[in-house]
């Protein structure tokens, strides 16, 4: 008797969550997917952020999905489960998945701060996590400086700080209530110190842009955010230590905050595959070259999902273990993540490209769903950690035993601002 194996869960292939909390999250998300899918094309064309959808996500508790249950959230704590949910969401709309990722990853990292940091930081983390659980807080990360700009803190003379600078590519910004801004300051000896001020949207001197004409992820609410003498209280600054310290322990936190994005690009590839194969299956003529494309699409898709799933399971295992050498732990989390990211960034665009080839000229239209998927999938290569160039440096350095600073934020802080757009 023939059996249906197409949708059978395989360990580590991102088809099903691994915990009850993860299943609850996916079940809640499933009810919103039809609306998200139906609006994705229009939102992409117009560059419109789906504010109403995020209101629904908040009502369902999904904006607090990664907040501990003790603080009112759903308690999703496995990176693997978050990636599964983001994959399902990205199959409907990658822009929405990217924006929700911002919130979910912040829940994971803030939970670590709540459990392990100093009392003032724990108190700040708890307030934010409780607000995320009720849907009151949407917490954005602001990492990348605008070309030629240095975002920095200076003392205000009364124990607090003033923040100046401009960040680009801040996703979910239209509804952001708080911004975690990666900045730097100078210590008494003039050395560069990394810091993350947490700034409310209504803070004086903070301005959120209104338009971004991106190539892809056009509905992700990715905007510029600028700061002009923006006041920041001393207890709202998370100190990250001196630049150039070569602390590979920080790679663990960077992995936790970013690895679940692998699910987004797996979801884009899956959506392209399903659309192309289901359309092609209705054709009567099936030349051998087209059949080879179909087989290759599914092979690449399986490979990228399996590799991503393995890296996520590895990260979950190590994230829960704070014993031993924390620098080594950071490398053991980051390295498989980067293997997987390189693989996904190569194979996901290849899948979408083959889907275009399979359908032919009918798909070569700006309004065809594959056009959006083709543009969205390219975003993965620009995401830190690491972009392609930084990823090559990291992985080759690990293979060759290079003595180098693996914290890309630290490396960039020690560079002079480059008007061409990199630091």
């Amino acid at each position: 008797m023939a059996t249906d194996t197409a949708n059978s869960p395989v360990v580590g292939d991102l088809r099903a969550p691994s915990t009850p909390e993860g299943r609850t999250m996916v079940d809640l998300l499933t009810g919103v997917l039809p609306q998200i899918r139906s609006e994705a094309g229009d939102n992409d064309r117009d560059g419109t952020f789906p504010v109403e959808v995020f209101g629904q996500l908040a009502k369902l508790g999904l904006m607090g999905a990664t907040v501990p249950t003790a603080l009112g959230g759903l308690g999703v704590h496995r990176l693997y489960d978050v990636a599964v949910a983001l994959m399902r969401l990205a199959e409907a709309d990658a822009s929405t998945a990217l924006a929700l990722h911002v919130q979910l990853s912040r829940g994971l990292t803030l939970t670590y701060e709540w459990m392990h940091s100093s009392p003032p930081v724990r108190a700040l983390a708890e307030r934010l996590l409780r607000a995320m659980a009720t849907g009151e807080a949407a917490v954005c990360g602001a990492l990348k400086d605008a070309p030629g700009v240095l975002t920095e803190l200076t003392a205000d003379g009364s124990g607090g700080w003033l923040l100046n600078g401009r960040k680009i590519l801040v996703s979910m910004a239209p509804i952001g209530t708080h911004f975690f801004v990666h900045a730097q300051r100078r210590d008494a000896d003039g050395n560069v110190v990394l810091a993350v001020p947490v700034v409310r949207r209504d803070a004086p001197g903070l301005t959120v842009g209104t338009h971004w004409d991106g190539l892809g992820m056009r509905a992700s609410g990715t905007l510029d955010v600028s700061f002009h003498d923006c006041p920041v209280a001393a207890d709202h600054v998370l100190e990250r230590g001196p630049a150039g310290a070569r602390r590979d322990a920080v790679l663990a936190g960077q992995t936790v905050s970013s690895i679940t994005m692998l699910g987004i690009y797996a979801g884009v590839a899956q959506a392209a595959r399903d659309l192309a194969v289901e359309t092609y299956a209705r054709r009567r003529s099936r030349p051998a070259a087209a059949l080879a494309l179909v087989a290759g699409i599914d092979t690449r898709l399986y490979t990228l999902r399996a590799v991503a799933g393995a890296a996520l399971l590895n990260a979950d295992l190590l994230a829960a273990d704070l014993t031993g050498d924390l620098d080594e732990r950071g490398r053991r989390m980051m390295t498989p993540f980067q293997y997987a990211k390189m693989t996904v960034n190569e194979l996901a665009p290849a899948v979408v490209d083959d889907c275009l080839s399979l359908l032919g000229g009918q798909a070569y239209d700006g309004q065809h769903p594959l056009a959006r998927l083709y543009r969205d999938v390219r975003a993965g290569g620009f995401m830190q950690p690491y972009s392609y160039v930084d990823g090559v440096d990291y992985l080759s350095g690990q293979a060759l035993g290079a003595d180098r600073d693996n914290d890309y934020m630290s490396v960039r802080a020690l560079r002079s601002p480059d008007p061409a757009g990199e630091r």
Side-chain angles (χ1 to χ4, degrees):
M1 178 183 294
T3 58
D4 179 13
T5 60
N7 295 310
S8 300
V10 177
V11 174
D13 77 343
L14 300 182
R15 289 192 184 275
S18 62
T19 65
E21 297 87 354
R23 288 191 288 274
T24 297
M25 179 185 182
V26 170
D27 288 345
L28 289 171
L29 187 60
T30 299
V32 194
L33 293 183
Q35 178 184 351
I36 293 172
R37 184 175 289 108
S38 68
E39 296 176 354
D42 289 343
N43 289 338
D44 173 76
R45 184 186 62 250
D46 301 333
T48 301
F49 183 78
V51 174
E52 181 183 336
V53 163
F54 275 81
Q56 293 183 47
L57 296 178
K59 289 178 182 178
L60 291 170
L62 289 165
M63 294 293 279
T66 52
V67 174
T69 55
L71 301 181
L74 297 183
V76 180
H77 57 283
R78 294 286 180 87
L79 296 163
Y80 183 91
D81 289 354
V82 174
V84 169
L86 290 173
M87 179 171 175
R88 297 281 182 88
L89 181 52
E91 290 178 49
D93 180 32
S95 286
T96 303
L98 178 61
L100 183 59
H101 155 78
V102 171
Q103 181 84 345
L104 298 179
S105 66
R106 192 58 60 195
L108 293 168
T109 56
L110 277 172
T111 296
Y112 180 89
E113 302 285 4
W114 175 62
M115 295 175 64
H116 301 290
S117 291
S118 63
V121 174
R122 290 188 64 184
L124 173 62
E126 179 171 338
R127 290 196 300 272
L128 287 171
L129 287 166
R130 289 188 182 278
M132 291 169 70
T134 61
E136 298 172 68
V139 186
C140 300
L143 280 77
K144 187 172 179 59
D145 281 330
V149 173
L150 175 64
T151 302
E152 58 183 340
L153 289 164
T154 55
D156 67 0
S158 59
W161 300 94
L162 295 175
L163 178 65
N164 285 277
R166 181 162 65 94
K167 295 292 185 177
I168 62 174
L169 303 176
V170 182
S171 297
M172 200 179 69
I175 62 168
T177 61
H178 299 75
F179 296 87
F180 274 58
V181 186
H182 289 252
Q184 59 179 264
R185 64 174 181 82
R186 297 278 177 172
D187 65 15
D189 297 322
N191 301 310
V192 175
V193 177
L194 303 177
V196 181
V198 181
V199 189
R200 290 180 58 93
R201 187 189 189 94
D202 58 4
L206 186 152
T207 304
V208 178
T210 58
H211 181 66
W212 178 64
D213 189 15
L215 176 66
M217 299 294 189
R218 289 176 51 80
S220 61
T222 300
L223 302 171
D224 291 6
V225 181
S226 60
F227 313 91
H228 179 69
D229 286 341
C230 189
V232 184
D235 60 358
H236 279 58
V237 176
L238 309 182
E239 297 288 351
R240 296 305 189 214
R246 301 196 178 192
R247 295 170 295 114
D248 281 354
V250 304
L251 302 181
Q254 292 175 359
T255 299
V256 168
S257 68
S258 300
I259 193 172
T260 59
M261 281 196 292
L262 296 176
I264 298 175
Y265 300 101
V268 174
Q270 184 70 54
R273 179 268 178 207
D274 291 346
L275 175 62
V277 171
E278 289 169 11
T279 301
Y280 190 77
R282 296 193 291 269
R283 296 183 182 178
R284 294 183 179 180
S285 175
R286 298 176 183 176
L291 297 180
L293 279 174
V294 172
I297 287 167
D298 276 3
T299 299
R300 289 189 177 101
L301 186 56
Y302 176 81
T303 301
L304 74 87
R305 290 173 67 153
V307 171
L312 286 154
L313 291 172
N314 173 77
D316 273 325
L317 182 66
L318 291 170
D321 183 7
L322 294 176
T323 62
D325 185 336
L326 296 184
D327 286 335
E328 178 63 19
R329 170 178 173 262
R331 291 186 292 271
R332 290 176 61 201
M333 291 177 71
M334 180 61 80
T335 302
F337 170 28
Q338 291 308 307
Y339 292 148
K341 191 172 187 294
M342 284 280 194
T343 301
V344 171
N345 287 348
E346 178 182 349
L347 296 186
V351 167
V352 180
D353 188 65
D354 279 354
C355 289
L356 283 166
S357 297
L358 184 65
L359 294 189
Q362 66 168 302
Y364 197 65
D365 182 289
Q367 302 307 311
H368 195 281
L370 278 179
R372 170 167 51 87
L373 298 173
Y374 190 77
R375 290 182 282 102
D376 286 348
V377 79
R378 290 293 291 117
F382 303 104
M383 300 290 184
Q384 292 280 9
Y386 297 104
S387 63
Y388 177 76
V389 172
D390 291 339
V392 167
D393 283 348
Y394 173 78
L395 289 176
S396 62
Q398 292 302 296
L400 299 173
D403 182 16
R404 64 188 300 273
D405 191 346
N406 293 313
D407 179 1
Y408 74 101
M409 297 301 296
S410 171
V411 171
R412 291 190 172 192
L414 293 176
R415 295 178 188 166
S416 300
D418 180 353
E422 284 296 335
R423 279 168 43 85

